[in-house]
Amino acid sequence: CGGSVSDSSGMLQSPNYPGSYPNYADCVWEIQVENNFRVTLTFRDIAMQSGTCQYDYIEVYDGPLHSSPLLGRFCSGSFPTYVSTSNMMSVRFHSDSRHSFRGFQAHYTSIPAGHNTTIQCLPDYMHVVVSKHYLQSQGYLAEGVTLSDNRCRPTVTSQELVFNIPYDGCGTTQEENNDTINYSNTIRVASSGYIIKRKKNINLHVSCKMLRKTWQQVVYAAEDTVEVNEFQFGRYDMNITFYNSPAFQQQVRSSPYYIDLNQNLYLQACLHSSDPNLKVVVDTCVASPDPHDFNTLAYYLVQNRCPRDPTYTTFRSPSSHFARFKFNAFEFMSRHPSVYLKCQMLVCRLRDYSSHCYRGCSSRPKRDTSSAEEEVDVVVGPIQLHEGDASSEST
């Protein structure tokens, strides 16, 4: 249950709804819609253990779970509606071991935010557009608009002021918390006048919150070709690429990538970011024959930076934005011809020796994320066994 949701509208419901939900459920949905839109969430049905909401409950957060204000916690009563202040909202459903009920169903949709100022969080910079009409309606001139570093000027068009604000310059500041690494700047709008002024200056505070959680999967199939899918949650741009040797000089560009059983597979994860003070490490890689289920039949290569497979090895990287590793190719039993590998990467602040990137193997709980790190996940593939290996293993 739970997961990341990126459609413009959709439905959330408790496990087994409208049947009884299971005991010990703890589901978190992260709803992230387009930039400059807001999330509206309306509950249509709630049937849970009522009272103080101590045992079974629903929580709604105005952004990521661990670092955002709680909009509401409830287990019964009227059907509430919530609206986020950004393009993200989180919903948590929790049940204990006592009683089980029908649960809940809710519908969400995205609505446009105001368009006086729009922000896009791109991999290397913030793209901020300020409406000239808005400034003029408030009695301000475009000539008086600057960033915290007034040497960084906007591009002025007939209708807009356009700022491309780097994450590592122009006065951009960085702040870390449990769920995000936040990049913030201030667009300053000065009141016109040479001797006196009667209008206040305007400070437009803009920020990009780079989410710490994004999954990537590596896919290889023993029989059928699997279409490549690549996605990310959050805004850090990460990809994983196969290489043909431990020198990591020549990428594997063929698709599918034909391999032999027990062949060394070399992979490099690369973080694309203009922030030089970030470090990437491999946190967890788990294999499954089902790309939608990494719990029922799962094989861990590495878990919480602890190697679980004897062939798993990491390599030194030329940059903190790279993480290099290898393992030997395998397939699940012949009734499962495809293997999917889902890898979770950690993004931490460089030289933050208190972060998990520098601690090595750890048995930390899933949610124990320090204030200086972010989890990022990626998808590449497919790779496919040579026909000879596939036929011999299918007998």
Side-chain angles (χ1 to χ4, degrees):
C1 61
S4 297
V5 181
S6 58
D7 294 332
S8 60
S9 64
M11 194 78 68
L12 305 182
Q13 57 190 31
S14 51
N16 301 329
Y17 180 91
S20 298
Y21 53 77
N23 295 327
Y24 300 110
D26 197 45
C27 314
V28 177
W29 292 267
E30 290 185 339
I31 307 169
Q32 185 178 4
V33 297
E34 292 183 42
N35 286 312
N36 306 303
F37 278 74
R38 303 289 179 258
V39 181
T40 297
L41 179 72
T42 301
F43 285 83
R44 295 179 170 179
D45 186 20
I46 303 172
M48 301 170 61
Q49 184 176 1
S50 60
T52 61
C53 302
Q54 179 180 358
Y55 306 109
D56 298 355
Y57 54 83
I58 303 166
E59 293 177 330
V60 180
Y61 291 85
D62 190 14
L65 179 68
H66 299 293
S67 59
S68 302
L70 178 66
L71 296 177
R73 175 173 171 154
F74 53 92
C75 56
S76 61
S78 59
F79 301 158
T81 295
Y82 297 97
V83 180
S84 66
T85 58
S86 69
N87 65 330
M88 188 172 184
M89 178 185 286
S90 296
V91 180
R92 181 187 182 195
F93 169 73
H94 177 83
S95 67
D96 71 348
S97 61
R98 293 171 177 257
H99 305 287
S100 185
F101 297 85
R102 187 171 66 245
F104 80 91
Q105 185 180 74
H107 178 263
Y108 80 89
T109 187
S110 58
I111 58 174
H115 294 293
N116 294 328
T117 304
T118 61
I119 304 173
Q120 283 184 287
C121 298
L122 302 175
D124 293 326
Y125 58 88
M126 288 183 275
H127 180 73
V128 182
V129 178
V130 181
S131 166
K132 258 185 158 182
H133 175 75
Y134 165 68
L135 294 176
Q136 293 167 355
S137 68
Q138 302 298 312
Y140 296 90
L141 300 177
E143 290 74 14
V145 181
T146 64
L147 287 176
S148 297
D149 183 345
N150 59 19
R151 294 171 296 178
C152 298
R153 310 292 297 184
T155 299
V156 181
T157 70
S158 60
Q159 297 182 337
E160 300 168 333
L161 280 73
V162 181
F163 289 89
N164 290 325
I165 308 172
Y167 295 134
D168 61 344
C170 290
T172 301
T173 61
Q174 302 170 7
E175 180 184 7
E176 302 158 356
N177 59 41
N178 286 339
D179 292 296
T180 58
I181 296 177
N182 302 339
Y183 300 95
S184 301
N185 210 312
T186 301
I187 298 174
R188 306 185 187 279
V189 185
S191 176
S192 59
Y194 294 100
I195 299 176
I196 67 170
K197 69 175 184 179
R198 288 194 169 94
K199 294 178 66 67
K200 295 181 179 179
N201 295 336
I202 297 178
N203 288 337
L204 299 175
H205 300 285
V206 294
S207 64
C208 282
K209 298 184 177 183
M210 309 298 281
L211 297 173
R212 296 183 181 276
K213 296 181 180 178
T214 310
W215 275 101
Q216 297 207 356
Q217 297 180 48
V218 175
V219 185
Y220 63 89
E223 289 184 356
D224 297 330
T225 300
V226 179
E227 295 296 326
V228 177
N229 291 300
E230 184 167 349
F231 60 92
Q232 63 178 34
F233 306 113
R235 301 188 183 97
Y236 274 128
D237 185 6
M238 178 90 71
N239 73 321
I240 294 180
T241 307
F242 286 103
Y243 283 79
N244 64 356
S245 77
F248 291 93
Q249 292 180 347
Q250 185 174 350
Q251 294 185 14
V252 175
R253 301 186 183 277
S254 59
S255 180
Y257 173 28
Y258 287 96
I259 55 92
D260 299 312
L261 285 176
N262 208 35
Q263 174 182 332
N264 289 329
L265 300 181
Y266 301 97
L267 301 95
Q268 176 176 273
C270 178
L271 173 67
H272 303 281
S273 173
S274 64
D275 185 350
N277 297 309
L278 297 176
K279 177 179 176 63
V280 177
V281 300
V282 182
D283 183 81
T284 298
C285 283
V286 56
S288 167
D290 184 345
H292 306 293
D293 182 2
F294 285 86
N295 296 306
T296 304
L297 183 59
Y299 179 74
Y300 281 86
L301 296 171
V302 57
Q303 186 176 24
N304 297 332
R305 298 164 309 289
C306 300
R308 302 300 186 195
D309 180 271
T311 70
Y312 175 83
T313 306
T314 59
F315 296 86
R316 291 180 63 88
S317 300
S319 165
S320 63
H321 283 196
F322 296 153
R324 293 174 169 179
F325 60 102
K326 57 85 65 172
F327 68 96
N328 288 14
F330 61 89
E331 67 171 339
F332 286 93
M333 302 307 291
S334 57
R335 62 192 179 93
H336 298 298
S338 297
V339 176
Y340 297 79
L341 183 65
K342 187 176 184 180
C343 289
Q344 187 173 75
M345 316 300 295
L346 274 180
V347 180
C348 308
R349 301 303 300 170
L350 190 63
R351 290 181 289 277
D352 178 5
Y353 298 107
S354 65
S355 73
H356 290 296
C357 287
Y358 290 91
R359 294 184 190 176
C361 179
S362 170
S363 58
R364 66 182 175 92
K366 183 177 181 181
R367 290 194 188 131
D368 179 19
T369 305
S370 86
S371 63
E373 65 205 39
E374 174 167 336
E375 294 176 348
V376 183
D377 320 321
V378 198
V379 182
V380 296
I383 67 176
Q384 191 173 56
L385 289 179
H386 285 298
E387 292 183 3
D389 286 326
S391 61
S392 64
E393 292 298 319
S394 299
T395 57

